[in-house]
Amino acid sequence: MSALSPPAQVHAPFTDAIARRIAQPFAPPRPWGNWGDYCYTRLKLRSDPLYPAVIAALRHHRSPLLDLGCGLGLLAHALRAAGLEQAYRGLDIDTTKIQRGQQILARSGLAGVQLQRHDLSVSRPAHRGSVTLLDVLQYLDQPTQQTLLADAAGMLDDDGVLVIRSTLAEDSARGRTSLRADAWAHRIGWMQTRPQHYPGAGELQRPLEAAGLQVSLQPLYGNTPFNNWLLVARR
């Protein structure tokens, strides 16, 4: 069963006070250090409703979480700040981000959190529990996306939930802005790879429905100009 509808629940970004608290471990240990990760993290938390939406989807699920395409591991910090304690393993292809994320973890002292380098275009790890794929799919080609979605569905246990945030293929102002922003992120080196394929709604839903999951798909724009959508799937 699937649903494509206006959001049943409007998720707002974090307040500045909460964003500042979550972002604090991302600040350099010395005032003259590089403040780039801290500034990026704090701005993202203040402007993007992604993390409150993911927290809401995961709040009543205790299964271990696999975060595919985790970047610096920001989701783990947001989950712990919200009182969610499920085991967290984050994977990302970017070695530099994983190393910086591990340094941030060491400063923050978060328990039950692991960050590891992994290339999703080559293989998927063994996992049972919940899965998140946040702003990742567009960097994979269409066949790899479909395989990854089917694999992620197979990772869910009875308590698990699959949460995906993705830009959808759409010829609109939001869609064009998303394409330009992703291309810019690659040019400045924030993303190692170029976007390859933006999925349509059906491309996200069909492999998950074929796996027997109940799927909901809702817009998640927040205070951003991007064509972002949130998919939540359960058994």
Side-chain angles (χ1 to χ4, degrees):
M1 179 184 297
S2 65
L4 179 61
S5 61
Q9 181 177 1
V10 177
H11 298 284
F14 289 117
T15 65
D16 184 58
I18 295 175
R20 185 169 60 250
R21 177 161 57 89
I22 296 173
Q24 189 56 47
F26 292 75
R30 298 176 180 83
W32 55 86
N34 188 335
W35 287 81
D37 288 341
Y38 172 82
C39 293
Y40 166 81
T41 298
R42 184 174 170 185
L43 176 61
K44 185 172 182 64
L45 293 168
R46 288 175 54 191
S47 62
D48 192 339
L50 172 62
Y51 296 102
V54 175
I55 287 168
L58 293 173
R59 182 167 294 282
H60 301 296
H61 299 267
R62 297 184 178 182
S63 291
L65 173 63
L66 180 65
D67 185 12
L68 299 175
C70 65
L72 297 172
L74 177 55
L75 177 58
H77 295 263
L79 292 173
R80 294 297 185 263
L84 277 66
E85 299 295 335
Q86 57 263 73
Y88 171 100
R89 178 163 57 131
L91 306 181
D92 200 282
I93 191 174
D94 192 325
T95 301
T96 301
K97 285 184 181 176
I98 290 296
Q99 290 174 342
R100 299 206 313 270
Q102 290 170 339
Q103 292 169 358
I104 293 164
L105 279 178
R107 293 199 295 267
S108 67
L110 293 190
V113 176
Q114 300 178 50
L115 298 178
Q116 302 167 346
R117 187 195 178 278
H118 191 96
D119 186 349
L120 294 177
S121 68
V122 175
S123 66
R124 254 70 65 194
H127 175 72
R128 292 293 290 172
S130 294
V131 180
T132 50
L133 277 160
L134 308 179
D135 302 330
V136 171
L137 289 176
Q138 66 262 36
Y139 296 100
L140 305 170
D141 60 40
Q142 198 268 353
T144 303
Q145 287 181 14
Q146 293 294 293
T147 301
L148 177 57
L149 290 170
D151 288 348
M155 294 176 184
L156 300 188
D157 62 13
D158 290 340
D159 181 60
V161 59
L162 172 61
V163 185
I164 298 171
R165 209 271 287 269
S166 180
T167 296
L168 295 187
E170 187 176 276
D171 185 16
S172 64
R174 284 186 177 276
R176 291 187 291 273
T177 299
S178 298
L179 267 62
R180 288 193 293 268
D182 285 344
W184 177 78
H186 173 68
R187 283 198 298 272
I188 66 171
W190 181 251
M191 299 302 298
Q192 286 193 345
T193 57
R194 302 176 189 271
Q196 298 190 47
H197 178 74
Y198 291 89
E203 291 178 273
L204 291 182
Q205 293 170 306
R206 281 191 293 271
L208 304 179
E209 293 168 354
L213 303 185
Q214 296 184 4
V215 182
S216 67
L217 184 64
Q218 303 168 346
L220 191 68
Y221 305 144
N223 299 328
T224 76
F226 308 123
N227 190 35
N228 291 328
W229 288 69
L230 183 77
L231 181 148
V232 179
R234 300 179 175 87
R235 295 201 176 280

